[in-house]
Structure formats: structure tokens, C-alpha cells
Amino acid sequence: MGARILHVDLDAFFVEVCRQRHPELRGLELLVVGGRRDQRGVVQSASYGARRFGIHAGMPIAQAVRLCPQATFFQGSFPHYREASHAVRAVLERFSPTVVSASLDEAYLDFVGTERLHPVSLLPVAELLRDEVRRDTGLDCSVGIGPNRMIAKLASDAAKPRGLMEVRAGWEAGFLAGLALEALPGVGPKTAERWAELGLTDVWQVQCMNESALERLIGSDALALKRRAQGYGGTTLRANRLPRSVSRETTLSRDVRDPAALEATLSLLTARVAGQLRDERLVARTVTLKLRHDDFRTVTRRHTFAIATDLDAELYAAARELFRAAFAGVRDRDRGVRLIGIAATSLGMAAEADLFEPPARQRLRDLSAAVDQLRGKYGFAAVTPGSALGSARRPGGSSPESP
DNA sequence: TCTGGGGTCCTAGGACCC
DNA sequence: TCTGGGGTCCTAGGACCC
């Protein structure tokens, strides 16, 4: 039985989409996308030329500027990314009925049951797929093929850029043996460092150890790590599951101490979240407030409702209470706030109309529906919640514009 | 040097219940 | 006199991913 999962990973996706949309960026070898050079933020993606200077995704913009001051720094647009991502997905759906997007620039395709169609290898399919993505969207991608998601993903990592790699069943351990532990999904910087202090840095070391020795060394993570080092990973792709959370957050362009300004921003963020909930026919039982102080300490406060909701007024009332309780402690130490955010979690599907709903709540629902209709026609900014107007202006220049 | 924004999953402790 | 115990819900924080 051959490898049956494909992982498609677009090469320098954000950079390439920006080049497509902004012709003046096309000739630039040193292009960094994520934010302007004077903005707070991190690198979203760097051109391969810029990567040679050590710039990579996740690096603070300011640090990238220092590494390569001559590079062009550009802030892309989320709607452009989303559109490009949908265009790619449309191509992928011609190849398999099961396409699961992992992010804007990554997707898994299930080819289980195609043994008769492609008895030996899926490489010819992958090659065709790569060519059609290129032809229809102008974007390059790399494709990994494996017996499970983890192997397919690691294969596409190894194939980058614009490459194809297939790891067939039986060859997983050999393929993994050459990798550092940090290459495994779920092993990030913190975990890798902890294990490195114990002398554990490479996958082959884990392959050589028996489970009880490994458990004595690293404790309860031993079983999961051992299995991954041997090449086991998820083999089923589940499409169409309910999302776990819907959230909006914004880092303010400068730290803010004025609670009224913060509440105004919170109100706008809440409106975004509530709008998305209704759009996706979801209701939330829990709302979480997030604050990041100027010393980068982050606190979250949450509240669970008796009845799930998708209404701005209910979500905002709870979020504001959480904010006031949390902010009281902040002001004591005269701390500025650099980030504020709100998340809706414990999501469920919105119920059909409830005949016994209290009239007051029904009125809020009618109001939300009217707002959604206006925004559907004229855009989100067509309607601004009154609570967002309270303080004279929105703080800083940073606003939660992205949908 | 200064650290985004959208997510996912896990852990640990306390409340509460039977 | 010692102070069960397991399950579930809730909160807060943390690691990780792209």
C-alpha cells in the first residue's frame, strides 16, 4: 500500500501574492512582507534573496531592517491573500474530493482509495498538480507525499522550493533519521531546548532508545515522541469540523493608558468577532479578553454565558466587564497596554429561530441582522458601534481593519 | 532588537456533584 | 477523627503552527 496523503505548500506565498498585486515589487530581489519598516510587527514572509541575509518569518521587523536596510518592506493585504488562497484551493479540488486547508498557504489532500488509479506512485499526480497551480494562479508550490499527514508535511518541507518528494510506506524511519527533533511538528524552540539540555537533539537518537529509557529521560512525552520518531502521524483528514474559536486582536501603534480608548477599540474588535460568528452561523458560550502590557506580560480573562450568543451587545457587555476588572490592576502600576483582543470560544451551531426568546433579545437580534445587511452591502465601516465612538479618537494609527 | 494575528491543543487547579 | 474519589465544567496560562 503506497503513500496516500499529499501536502501542498506554496513557496514564499505572501511575497509572491504581493508581487502579483503590486507590479512595482516584481523586480525586487530583497523584499520583506509583513509591515512597513517603522511599524511594530514581525516578518510574515521574505523573498529568497532577503532570506540570505538571515531574515525569516516571525522575526521582528526592526531586526530585519538592521540585517538588511536596503530591502523593501511592504505590508500586504489580507483579502488579496485570501483570494489567492481560494484560487489555489479551486485547483486542488480538481485532484481530490478531500482537501483540508491548514492555513492560507498549505493544504492536505487525501488520495486514499486511489490505489487502482495510481498503483505505484503519486509523483506524476503531484507534478501535474504543481503545474496546474502554476498555470492557473501563477504561484509556485512544493508537494510532499506520505502515508500520513506528518510525513507528507515533512516531505514538502524537504522538497522546498518548487520540489516534489514522496516517502513511501516503510521508509518513514529512514527519512526521519536525518532530521533534528525540532523539525517534528509540535516540537518548538522551548521543547527543543529542554531536550537538548538532556543531550537529545536528533530523531535518530529517539529511534535508538527504548521507550522506558526515553521516559526516564523526558517523562510523559516519551510515548508520543517515540511514535512520531518512528513515523506515525495522523492518517485521516477531517474536513468541515466546527472551528474552535473566532478572535480579533490588535497591537496598538503605541502603548495606551486611557481606558476609554481601549474600550472603544474593544468594541470594534467585538463587532468584528460577532459579525464573523453570525456569518458562519456560530454561537459562542465563552468570551475571552486578552491584554498585553508594555512589558509584554499577557493576561487573559474569560466569562462563560448560560446561553450561547452571537450578539454584539451581549459579547461586548461581557468583554467590557472583563476589561474593567483586569484593567483596574494595570492602572495601579501605570502600565501601558500594547495589545488588546477578544476571542469567542466554546462554539456551537446557531439554533433556528427561538419562539420563546425574550423580546429584548429578539430586538438585539433584529438590530444585528440589519447591521449585517448594511455591512454586506457597504462594508464593515458602514456601521460603527456607538461604544466605539466614546473616546475622541481611536488610539494610535493601528486599527482592526482586516476582516 | 523588540517582539503580528489568526488559530489549535494541552495542563493544572478549583468548584461542584454524586 | 483525620481529611474518598472520579467526572465534568470552568479559568488561566503556555507551547506551538503558519
Side-chain angles (χ1 to χ4, degrees):
Chain A
M1 189 10 232
R4 294 293 119 170
I5 288 182
L6 256 72
H7 181 251
V8 179
D9 199 328
L10 294 158
D11 299 332
F13 173 70
F14 299 98
V15 164
E16 294 310 320
V17 172
C18 288
R19 288 195 204 277
Q20 287 186 340
R21 298 295 187 135
H22 304 274
E24 72 274 16
L25 302 174
R26 278 181 200 163
L28 301 173
E29 201 198 336
L30 304 176
L31 178 59
V32 179
V33 165
R36 293 195 302 269
R37 57 205 305 147
D38 57 343
Q39 275 179 332
R40 284 179 157 177
V42 299
V43 174
Q44 204 168 15
S45 180
S47 65
Y48 286 97
R51 290 182 200 189
R52 283 198 286 276
F53 287 78
I55 297 174
H56 56 80
M59 172 182 283
I61 296 279
Q63 190 181 354
V65 170
R66 256 175 284 112
L67 284 173
C68 187
Q70 66 272 39
T72 301
F73 291 81
F74 187 82
Q75 178 159 43
S77 134
F78 181 80
H80 290 169
Y81 301 144
R82 196 178 39 197
E83 247 176 74
S85 185
H86 286 166
V88 171
R89 192 183 161 100
V91 178
L92 303 186
E93 283 172 350
R94 300 204 293 261
F95 286 81
S96 165
T98 309
V99 177
V100 177
S101 299
S103 66
L104 286 172
D105 63 342
E106 270 184 62
Y108 293 91
L109 280 70
D110 198 341
F111 277 77
V112 73
T114 61
E115 289 79 2
R116 253 191 292 186
L117 210 54
H118 315 291
V120 182
S121 167
L122 285 170
L123 275 173
V125 181
E127 193 170 8
L128 190 64
L129 183 151
R130 183 186 61 182
D131 292 345
E132 293 199 11
V133 167
R134 168 87 218 175
R135 188 193 67 204
D136 289 8
T137 72
L139 295 167
D140 285 327
C141 65
S142 302
V143 184
I145 307 162
N148 60 57
R149 272 177 302 172
M150 177 182 73
I151 297 292
K153 163 116 178 93
L154 290 170
S156 74
D157 286 346
K160 267 185 169 305
R162 209 174 144 58
L164 312 171
M165 180 180 286
E166 180 172 46
V167 177
R168 298 197 198 170
W171 291 86
E172 298 93 328
F175 167 64
L176 292 170
L179 300 179
L181 285 177
E182 214 170 342
L184 298 178
V187 183
K190 304 267 183 188
T191 308
E193 197 190 333
R194 212 170 62 232
W195 289 346
E197 282 166 11
L198 303 168
L200 214 55
T201 53
D202 297 290
V203 172
W204 67 264
Q205 292 176 290
V206 175
Q207 290 175 340
C208 293
M209 290 176 84
N210 67 46
E211 204 189 302
S212 51
L214 192 60
E215 190 167 0
R216 280 194 296 279
L217 195 59
I218 67 168
S220 58
D221 293 326
L223 175 59
L225 177 60
K226 183 78 186 165
R227 288 185 58 78
R228 273 182 287 167
Q230 288 166 326
Y232 294 99
T235 52
T236 50
L237 297 184
R238 284 192 51 199
N240 306 324
R241 59 203 272 276
L242 277 188
R244 299 305 169 99
S245 64
V246 170
S247 67
R248 288 295 181 279
E249 64 182 48
T250 186
T251 294
L252 306 156
S253 59
R254 52 197 157 67
D255 301 335
V256 173
R257 287 181 169 72
D258 171 20
L262 291 166
E263 286 185 14
T265 300
L266 184 60
S267 164
L268 280 174
L269 295 169
T270 304
R272 293 274 187 188
V273 166
Q276 184 178 337
L277 288 175
R278 292 192 294 269
D279 197 43
E280 299 184 16
R281 304 259 180 278
L282 295 168
V283 288
R285 275 246 296 149
T286 302
V287 57
T288 303
L289 169 82
K290 179 170 166 183
L291 291 178
R292 177 125 73 209
H293 305 307
D294 55 9
D295 60 358
F296 224 68
R297 198 172 47 89
T298 305
V299 300
T300 59
R301 292 290 179 271
R302 62 186 72 175
H303 171 78
T304 296
F305 299 105
I307 297 168
T309 184
D310 56 6
L311 299 173
D312 298 46
E314 293 178 351
L315 290 165
Y316 181 59
R320 195 182 50 196
E321 282 316 298
L322 293 169
F323 170 75
R324 288 181 178 172
F327 196 70
V330 173
R331 224 167 2 176
D332 289 343
R333 291 183 311 287
D334 195 29
R335 277 265 168 254
V337 170
R338 67 172 286 139
L339 172 149
I340 184 164
I342 177 175
T345 61
S346 303
L347 304 181
M349 283 194 299
E352 297 304 314
D354 177 1
L355 295 177
F356 302 103
E357 190 165 60
R361 200 164 192 247
Q362 188 56 55
R363 280 194 295 276
L364 288 176
R365 190 174 303 289
D366 293 343
L367 176 62
S368 291
V371 166
D372 289 344
Q373 212 173 8
L374 278 172
R375 285 182 174 153
K377 246 189 227 170
Y378 304 110
F380 181 83
V383 185
T384 302
S387 43
L389 299 173
S391 83
R393 289 184 302 120
R394 295 228 298 274
S398 175
S399 55
E401 291 301 340
S402 55

